[in-house]
Amino acid sequence: MRRIPAWVRENPMLPWGALFLALCLGVTQFGGTNARSRFAALRALTEGHTLAIDNYKDWTIDWSLSPNGHTYSNKAPGAVFLGLPFFALTEAVVLPLNAKKIDDKGRVPAPGYGQHLFLILCLQMIPYLLLVLWLANQLKEKGAGKNAVLFFTLASLFGNTAAIYMNCNFGHGLAALLFLAAYFFWSERRYVLAGLFVSWTLLTDYGIAFALPLFLAATVWRERSGKSLRQIATGALPAAIVWVWYHTAAFGSPFATAIRYSNPEQIDPPLGQFVIQGAFSLVPSFTVLLRLLFGPERGLLFTQPWVLGVFALPFLKIKGLPRGTSLLLVGSLSALLWFVAGVGGWHGGWCAGPRYLSAMIPAAALALAQNWDALPLWLRHALWPALLVALAFRLLVFPFSNLAPMTNLWIHYLQEFRGEHVGTSILRISMAAVFVLIALRWHKRRNGTIWYREKN
């Protein structure tokens, strides 16, 4: 145990970290064709030594047909490149075992459950858990109150859409991890590391391109100099090189992404006015914008209402709030909302929340925690019940697939308890309840109480 760093071993939030891992492993997810698209790219690299997934196109409908005539995954490539070392380790074990199972295309079987679980464990679950625990420790060392640390931990580990996808190879969990690190290092004025992480976030989630200008603008506004931008550019250089190389090799230009050439059957017509490249609208649908914020199908209000509290930051006089924080978080989240509301597939298909917004949300939890004691008492009192709604939704999703139709998500998952596997569902939710009770008891023993009364 003493080999484990003290910030893990003695961390007051360790019980919740253990609960996060237990829930992720208790009911693992896969992600359907979305995940298979990334596994096709990984297998193409390890088995075929190529970026093209021509030989694995039948595994997925999430592909892009390049002008060069080859087929590629229609996902941003960051998750594939970051996960490649872990996937290669599993291939070294699996391929010899499957040597006699070659199909008529000369391929070994598609990656199975073990490979999926190992990859996500190494790429998302454990790194995210350690990052959250480390940030909780950083908050504590910098004088944040116990409620601030607790709020951040619960909101980031359970109370957001990205947390639901941490055990699923969608890429959203990894993007949220990377952007959370990017925001923290930005807040600490460690701009080289901020540039490193935000650039890999963009390489993992194309939607971050719409938040990036606000990230840079907030930096300039905060520092009033170009030095910080040069530092961000230095940190971003490795990811920029990968970006240029991959998109040039696959699609002929660093400015051409996989989305532009995506499977036509997977593209919904853009919404709103002034369509750009046939993919999104500069003036989106305001109806969709309201549904993303307040709708029961994918809205923040129904899945993680505490996030709406972030939009109050620009209107509050918060002592010690670093210049540019509101512009970075509220501006970036607003830009992402604007973009998604103009995309035909704004709903994200079958999913348990607004997954296209999910990369930004854990960083919002950190921003609120960093300034918790300076927030008005009414806002802190409002944030706790809003977080409880998000935690309840996470537990409701736990027994089932994170692939949900375009309907009221609460009603959908409640109706799932009436399905043919009702016994399994009840067993799983009971298991989750036991895990939660253990974490609560452990937390109380470690911290002396579960929650501290908010004070002015």
Side-chain angles (χ1 to χ4, degrees):
M1 281 290 291
R2 294 195 175 277
R3 292 185 179 181
I4 301 175
W7 59 265
V8 175
R9 187 178 66 251
E10 301 172 7
N11 198 303
M13 297 296 110
L14 184 60
W16 303 112
L19 177 62
F20 166 78
L21 203 57
L23 292 182
C24 283
L25 295 174
V27 178
T28 56
Q29 304 285 344
F30 186 73
T33 183
N34 198 307
R36 286 193 292 271
S37 179
R38 289 188 174 89
F39 277 115
L42 286 165
R43 180 57 64 78
L45 284 166
T46 55
E47 187 177 40
H49 309 295
T50 178
L51 297 172
I53 64 168
D54 299 329
N55 204 34
Y56 313 92
K57 182 180 175 181
D58 58 310
W59 288 4
T60 179
I61 57 175
D62 287 339
W63 47 260
S64 294
L65 181 60
S66 171
N68 65 19
H70 293 289
T71 305
Y72 300 84
S73 169
N74 73 349
K75 310 301 175 188
V80 169
F81 291 130
L82 292 175
L84 183 60
F86 306 111
F87 184 75
L89 283 176
T90 66
E91 291 285 86
V93 175
V94 171
L95 291 182
L97 297 176
N98 291 326
K100 296 182 180 180
K101 300 179 181 179
I102 304 298
D103 66 13
D104 55 359
K105 291 187 176 182
R107 309 173 302 185
V108 296
Y113 174 79
Q115 286 183 279
H116 159 74
L117 183 60
F118 181 79
L119 176 63
I120 302 306
L121 190 68
C122 295
L123 186 63
Q124 290 180 177
M125 282 189 272
I126 291 178
Y128 187 69
L129 167 61
L130 293 177
L131 176 61
V132 170
L133 290 178
W134 182 71
L135 291 176
N137 187 68
Q138 290 291 307
L139 286 169
K140 178 184 175 184
E141 290 185 351
K142 295 179 186 300
K146 293 182 178 180
N147 276 349
V149 178
L150 180 61
F151 182 90
F152 163 69
T153 304
L154 295 178
S156 56
L157 290 180
F158 311 104
N160 66 88
T161 301
I164 295 175
Y165 290 114
M166 282 296 166
N167 63 349
C168 178
N169 194 22
F170 261 45
H172 300 300
L174 179 59
L177 184 165
L178 294 168
F179 193 82
L180 176 60
Y183 169 72
F184 172 76
F185 289 120
W186 180 90
S187 68
E188 293 290 302
R189 285 187 158 95
R190 299 167 69 176
Y191 292 122
V192 173
L193 287 173
L196 174 69
F197 282 100
V198 78
S199 59
W200 275 97
T201 310
L202 175 59
L203 197 60
T204 304
D205 186 339
Y206 285 136
I208 296 300
F210 292 85
L212 186 60
L214 281 301
F215 190 95
L216 299 177
T219 306
V220 173
W221 189 31
R222 183 186 192 189
E223 301 298 344
R224 302 298 177 90
S225 74
K227 181 180 178 181
S228 54
L229 291 184
R230 291 194 294 271
Q231 291 174 328
I232 288 176
T234 299
L237 185 60
I241 292 172
V242 174
W243 176 286
V244 171
W245 165 71
Y246 174 80
H247 291 93
T248 302
F251 305 109
S253 168
F255 303 105
T257 65
I259 297 175
R260 183 175 179 181
Y261 304 104
S262 195
N263 179 357
E265 295 181 0
Q266 294 298 103
I267 298 178
D268 295 313
L271 306 173
Q273 299 176 331
F274 305 108
V275 176
I276 303 297
Q277 293 188 350
F280 65 95
S281 303
L282 287 179
V283 180
S285 165
F286 287 96
T287 300
V288 170
L289 190 61
L290 291 174
R291 293 174 78 179
L292 284 168
L293 289 170
F294 311 118
E297 310 95 340
R298 298 292 185 265
L300 293 173
L301 180 64
F302 280 80
T303 56
Q304 49 230 299
W306 64 267
V307 179
L308 298 176
V310 176
F311 292 99
L313 291 180
F315 306 100
L316 301 173
K317 292 183 179 180
I318 302 174
K319 185 179 180 180
L321 182 70
R323 180 194 296 270
T325 300
S326 295
L327 179 61
L328 190 156
L329 282 172
V330 181
S332 296
L333 185 54
S334 299
L336 201 55
L337 272 164
W338 192 267
F339 159 67
V340 176
V343 175
W346 63 273
H347 46 76
W350 282 62
C351 56
R355 65 185 181 95
Y356 292 142
L357 304 178
S358 61
M360 304 285 305
I361 294 176
L366 179 57
L368 289 172
Q370 287 173 325
N371 302 281
W372 187 265
D373 295 325
L375 296 177
L377 187 61
W378 66 264
L379 181 55
R380 283 178 277 156
H381 279 164
L383 285 170
W384 280 114
L387 176 60
L388 287 176
V389 171
L391 299 180
F393 182 73
R394 174 67 185 100
L395 289 178
L396 182 62
V397 174
F398 171 75
F400 310 110
S401 169
N402 58 20
L403 302 177
M406 182 62 178
T407 186
N408 186 310
L409 292 174
W410 282 85
I411 294 177
H412 166 74
Y413 281 111
L414 287 171
Q415 288 177 339
E416 286 288 277
F417 281 103
R418 300 167 58 187
E420 58 179 326
H421 302 295
V422 60
T424 301
S425 302
I426 293 174
L427 178 62
R428 287 177 173 179
I429 200 69
S430 301
M431 177 177 65
V434 171
F435 288 162
V436 170
L437 290 174
I438 292 172
L440 282 169
R441 183 175 177 80
W442 186 5
H443 176 86
K444 187 175 181 180
R445 290 181 60 184
R446 180 164 284 219
N447 296 276
T449 185
I450 293 175
W451 181 77
Y452 296 83
R453 186 180 298 274
E454 294 289 353
K455 298 179 181 180
N456 278 318

